[in-house]
Amino acid sequence: MAVRWAVEGRGARVGGSDLAVAGGVLAVEAAVALLLPESDVSHRPDLLGWALLAGSSAVLVWRRRAPMWCLLGMVVTVAPYHYLQYVQQAPIVSSMVALFALAVAGPPVRTYVVVPSVVLTMTAVMSTIGKPHAGSEMLQSAGWIVAVAVAGDVVRIHRNYVAAIMERAERAERTREQEAARRVAEERLRIARDLHDLLAHSITLIGVQTSVAAHVLVADPERLDRTAVASALDAIADTCREARAELRTTLRVLRTDGDGPLPDLAGLASLAGAAEAAGARVELAVDVGGEPVPPAVGAAAYRIVQESLTNAVRHTGAAQPLVTVRVGRHGGGLRLEVRDDGGREDLLPAPRADAHRADPHGTDPDRRPEGFGIAGMRERARSVGGTLAAGPCQDGPGFAVTADLPFAADLQGDPR
């Protein structure tokens, strides 16, 4: 502990201010030694006295770097100065500065161990100089030593208090920055989900409808079914208009930084119609009873059904899958079940020699990789405190998505 006390504070470097303090203290001590009158037990310093007095001031340049060594150096120089009976009041200034620096550096235990030791040492020295009652007078005048130590400790406490306040302020600022970064990340994720749901759904439907039109044109050009081609092109135009309208709504919400209208269960019929226009067969059953569905839960359900229909159309292509969508009450919330049958194998195109055809029954793990779509559905379910399971059907071909969305968790997140 003594070694730790001695080297504590050595991180500070000796600078110009330290030299200035040591020079100022030496000047004050020299003035005191020259101006105070001599007595029987106190005379002006000779060459050795001036050297000791200068040494007591010189050690102050290390008062911040090594305050304990500074105090010890001061004692080593001041003790013989007093013993040789030079002007006794001269070294008081250097003693006060060294004690103050020690108390400011802390810890307080060291201060209140060293101060009594210094008082006892100086009392012993003063008792040997031959002046009657010198030791008792030293004890009586020890109040200034204690006062200096207390003043230094008060400064130390104040500095620690200010440092603690600054640290708390910096920590609070870091917390605010982290919270802002988290909100930005959440907003980016929400925008990514919106764009994925909108663009993936629309582009998938347009791609399938374009494939149907191309197939009609190429399959039998001499017996061209103009009605089928016109129907496919009309469906593409309708999908483009719907996508443009929804994209405009999304951008309006982002520009105004406000809440726009949330999609709800009433829009499921439109989703089913778009999927049927792309060649799927959709059976939609919605029965939520008389209780209104919270807006956030309804929006999450809409987006999950939208993504499920998009996946069914994308992964079965021209196989005309039968997609069953059931939405109903379950416990204290909403349950969604979206299942496709994998499509009709007799309508699938023949596999090409240079390409691997996707498995229509969902048994190939590469058929439905968990990309952004399924991950986005899970995020939307979690945003309202719900759960979602997606995977190949266990009792037959196809793919199934099941989600449970509790009503009570309506305010837990933004499912947009």
Side-chain angles (χ1 to χ4, degrees):
M1 181 178 292
V3 173
R4 180 174 64 83
W5 285 356
V7 301
E8 187 170 347
R10 61 185 302 176
R13 294 184 177 181
V14 175
S17 61
D18 299 312
L19 296 175
V21 169
V25 170
L26 179 59
V28 172
E29 291 181 341
V32 172
L34 293 174
L35 295 178
L36 287 182
E38 296 182 321
S39 64
D40 295 338
V41 292
S42 176
H43 57 84
R44 301 196 189 283
D46 52 15
L47 182 61
L48 176 60
W50 285 114
L52 293 174
L53 200 62
S56 69
S57 302
V59 296
L60 296 179
V61 298
W62 292 287
R63 74 188 192 284
R64 293 186 303 121
R65 180 177 176 82
M68 188 64 189
W69 288 116
C70 173
L71 181 64
L72 292 176
M74 184 273 301
V75 173
V76 168
T77 55
V78 169
Y81 180 91
H82 284 297
Y83 182 78
L84 296 175
Q85 300 183 13
Y86 298 118
V87 176
Q88 302 296 308
Q89 294 84 354
I92 290 179
V93 179
S94 61
S95 303
M96 293 176 61
V97 173
L99 285 173
F100 182 82
L102 182 74
V104 169
V109 174
R110 179 177 67 180
T111 301
Y112 296 117
V113 169
V114 171
V115 168
S117 301
V118 171
V119 173
L120 293 176
T121 300
M122 299 307 298
T123 300
V125 172
M126 296 295 291
S127 299
T128 62
I129 65 176
K131 181 180 179 181
H133 311 296
S136 60
E137 291 178 0
M138 180 63 191
L139 288 176
Q140 292 174 3
S141 62
W144 67 266
I145 299 178
V146 176
V148 169
V150 171
D153 201 42
V154 169
V155 172
R156 180 190 61 81
I157 293 173
H158 176 71
R159 288 182 177 178
N160 291 342
Y161 175 73
V162 173
I165 292 178
M166 295 299 296
E167 182 180 359
R168 284 197 297 268
E170 292 176 359
R171 188 163 53 246
E173 181 65 23
R174 288 194 300 268
T175 302
R176 286 192 293 269
E177 292 176 355
Q178 293 170 356
E179 177 65 17
R182 184 187 65 81
R183 291 182 178 275
V184 169
E186 289 180 351
E187 185 64 14
R188 291 178 62 183
L189 180 61
R190 184 178 74 83
I191 294 172
R193 284 202 307 259
D194 286 347
L195 295 178
H196 174 273
D197 290 343
L198 171 62
L199 298 179
H201 177 73
S202 301
I203 292 174
T204 296
L205 296 183
I206 292 172
V208 173
Q209 292 160 352
T210 305
S211 298
V212 172
H215 177 75
V216 172
L217 290 172
V218 176
D220 192 354
E222 295 182 358
R223 301 178 59 185
L224 179 63
D225 188 346
R226 298 180 180 275
T227 303
V229 174
S231 177
L233 295 178
D234 287 341
I236 292 173
D238 292 340
T239 303
C240 290
R241 281 192 293 270
E242 292 175 1
R244 186 168 58 251
E246 190 167 353
L247 182 59
R248 185 182 298 111
T249 301
T250 301
L251 294 178
R252 185 182 302 115
V253 173
L254 295 177
R255 284 179 180 274
T256 59
D257 194 23
D259 294 330
L262 293 174
D264 54 20
L265 299 181
L268 296 184
S270 176
L271 293 178
E276 289 177 340
R281 296 165 294 156
V282 181
E283 292 182 358
L284 176 64
V286 180
D287 183 11
V288 295
E291 182 179 350
V293 177
V297 176
Y302 176 92
R303 293 302 189 189
I304 292 173
V305 172
Q306 182 185 46
E307 181 63 25
S308 300
L309 290 174
T310 300
N311 288 340
V313 173
R314 177 191 298 125
H315 292 292
T316 56
Q320 294 184 0
L322 174 61
V323 185
T324 303
V325 180
R326 301 187 184 281
V327 182
R329 291 292 303 277
H330 179 75
L334 204 64
R335 167 164 287 186
L336 309 178
E337 294 180 356
V338 183
R339 172 173 175 169
D340 67 74
D341 62 356
R344 294 172 52 186
E345 293 191 6
D346 60 309
L347 296 178
L348 288 171
R352 300 184 311 182
D354 59 345
H356 173 68
R357 177 173 58 85
D359 179 7
H361 297 144
T363 57
D364 185 350
D366 294 332
R367 172 180 180 262
R368 299 259 176 120
E370 287 210 13
F372 298 115
I374 294 179
M377 288 192 292
R378 288 202 174 99
E379 290 172 358
R380 291 192 184 279
R382 285 196 299 267
S383 71
V384 293
T387 58
L388 183 139
C393 298
Q394 301 297 323
D395 55 352
F399 200 82
V401 175
T402 304
D404 289 307
L405 311 177
F407 287 172
D410 179 38
L411 297 179
Q412 290 188 6
D414 183 359
R416 188 183 300 277

